[in-house]
Amino acid sequence: MRIVQRNTSVIVKVGLVASCLLFGLVVLKVQVQAQAQDATTSQTQEITNFVFEKEELQDEIAEVKRSLNGQLAEYRTAEQDFSIKKGQFEQLNTLSSLEAAVQSTRTVMQKRAQVLQTYLTLLRLELQNTSGIRLEYRDYAMEENLRLEQLLAEHIEQIEASVDRDSIRETTDTFDLLGPDIQEHIHFTREVLQLARYQAIFDSSVFLVTSIVEESNDPENPNAIVTSAQDERAVDQIINALQTVEDALISADGEVVERISPDNRSNKFDLGDSIDTAYG
């Protein structure tokens, strides 16, 4: 079972831009004269000390991830056993092989639901823990996460009550409706979380560049970092890159706003493709 399929091209693109921005800032900072060395060292440390996530839930998130890894291993084992039991039933077509196939189906469904339940818990914690995410985006994703957690809990109860071939088939049909909603929610939430992280990088980069420019525009500042034409060109390049990223973030925000509006909540579309278009 594939839990989620994601369009990762936008992640790679924006990640490279963000990395280049921070690298450019670091390079600019080391191009300072000897009298500005202390100030440069302090500001360079400021870059490496950026915290784009809150720390309060990190331990809990790590624990959930460990649980998820263990559950995935159990699910893969159950899936392999299901394939074996299914093959034996198709070959033997006996009552005992049927009962074994039904039980293995029930087990693999339980393990799958457990994995998804834990994954939704992980998403909820990451939504609570990620700074830079807009409140309306978080509220929408949290509301959808809660809805799906409740539906998944009902699905788990249905699995527990499934004891024969017919009830297993009905439970499978239920998941056929629920599964795509969970997959779409995972995809959407992952993209929104990544956008929030890139927004945090962008905001921090703007703050640093603004500070550098303001300090360098002060003729009485002995620790000005921009002291040559080469430094000025480097700053101009970073500012141009920031402008490109800002335009992309505004476009992507528009796509997310459209996605979470009441009129469009029932319409499923690939947010990854939409953001990819915004980032060009």
Side-chain angles (χ1 to χ4, degrees):
M1 176 189 67
R2 298 192 60 153
I3 292 179
V4 60
Q5 298 172 336
R6 291 199 299 159
N7 183 334
T8 58
S9 58
V10 62
I11 305 300
V12 174
K13 287 181 182 179
V14 183
L16 288 173
V17 171
S19 298
C20 289
L21 283 174
L22 291 181
F23 178 75
L25 289 170
V26 173
V27 170
L28 181 62
K29 287 178 180 297
V30 300
Q31 293 175 343
V32 64
Q33 295 179 341
Q35 67 269 25
Q37 185 173 357
D38 292 339
T40 305
T41 301
S42 174
Q43 290 165 340
T44 303
Q45 290 173 345
E46 188 177 5
I47 294 176
T48 59
N49 289 336
F50 283 150
V51 178
F52 301 124
E53 291 186 341
K54 301 174 184 178
E55 296 294 335
E56 291 84 349
L57 298 177
Q58 288 303 312
D59 291 343
E60 191 171 351
I61 288 174
E63 181 61 31
V64 171
K65 286 181 177 180
R66 283 191 291 269
S67 296
L68 183 61
N69 287 334
Q71 291 169 2
L72 280 169
E74 293 177 2
Y75 169 74
R76 294 188 185 102
T77 300
E79 193 173 35
Q80 291 172 358
D81 182 68
F82 164 74
S83 297
I84 293 172
K85 295 297 194 301
K86 179 182 177 182
Q88 291 175 344
F89 169 68
E90 292 174 346
Q91 182 181 3
L92 302 174
N93 196 24
T94 62
L95 181 60
S96 61
S97 64
L98 172 61
E99 291 176 351
V102 168
Q103 182 56 44
S104 65
T105 303
R106 185 169 178 265
T107 299
V108 77
M109 293 172 70
Q110 288 173 326
K111 297 300 182 183
R112 178 179 62 187
Q114 183 183 50
V115 167
L116 291 173
Q117 193 175 45
T118 302
Y119 201 94
L120 289 176
T121 299
L122 178 62
L123 284 182
R124 174 165 43 81
L125 291 173
E126 290 186 344
L127 284 166
Q128 294 171 340
N129 197 56
T130 300
S131 60
I133 186 171
R134 291 197 179 206
L135 184 60
E136 58 267 34
Y137 300 172
R138 177 180 294 173
D139 288 347
Y140 171 80
M142 290 286 283
E143 176 185 333
E144 183 68 3
N145 208 81
L146 178 60
R147 183 183 75 86
L148 293 172
E149 284 180 307
Q150 292 172 341
L151 290 175
L152 190 58
E154 295 173 4
H155 177 64
I156 291 173
E157 291 180 359
Q158 186 180 16
I159 294 173
E160 296 295 333
S162 300
V163 294
D164 55 32
R165 192 176 186 180
D166 290 338
S167 58
I168 286 289
R169 185 179 293 112
E170 291 177 3
T171 304
T172 300
D173 292 341
T174 300
F175 185 80
D176 287 342
L177 298 175
L178 177 60
D181 281 354
I182 294 177
Q183 184 180 43
E184 195 275 341
H185 169 67
I186 290 173
H187 177 81
F188 173 82
T189 304
R190 281 286 167 214
E191 294 290 355
V192 168
L193 287 169
Q194 196 65 290
L195 276 177
R197 295 182 182 111
Y198 290 140
Q199 182 68 55
I201 293 175
F202 172 79
D203 293 341
S204 300
S205 299
V206 169
F207 174 79
L208 283 174
V209 171
T210 301
S211 298
I212 290 171
V213 172
E214 289 178 351
E215 290 179 2
S216 299
N217 285 340
D218 183 1
E220 298 181 0
N221 183 6
N223 295 324
I225 294 177
V226 181
T227 60
S228 67
Q230 182 180 2
D231 294 340
E232 291 177 356
R233 286 193 297 271
V235 170
D236 288 341
Q237 290 174 356
I238 292 174
I239 291 175
N240 289 336
L242 285 171
Q243 183 61 60
T244 300
V245 173
E246 182 180 30
D247 293 342
L249 287 171
I250 291 173
S251 297
D253 270 339
E255 297 289 338
V256 178
V257 169
E258 180 181 356
R259 170 65 181 84
I260 67 177
S261 66
D263 292 338
N264 290 328
R265 289 194 177 193
S266 61
N267 298 327
K268 307 300 183 185
F269 65 91
D270 192 339
L271 180 62
D273 286 344
S274 300
I275 298 174
D276 200 24
T277 300
Y279 277 87

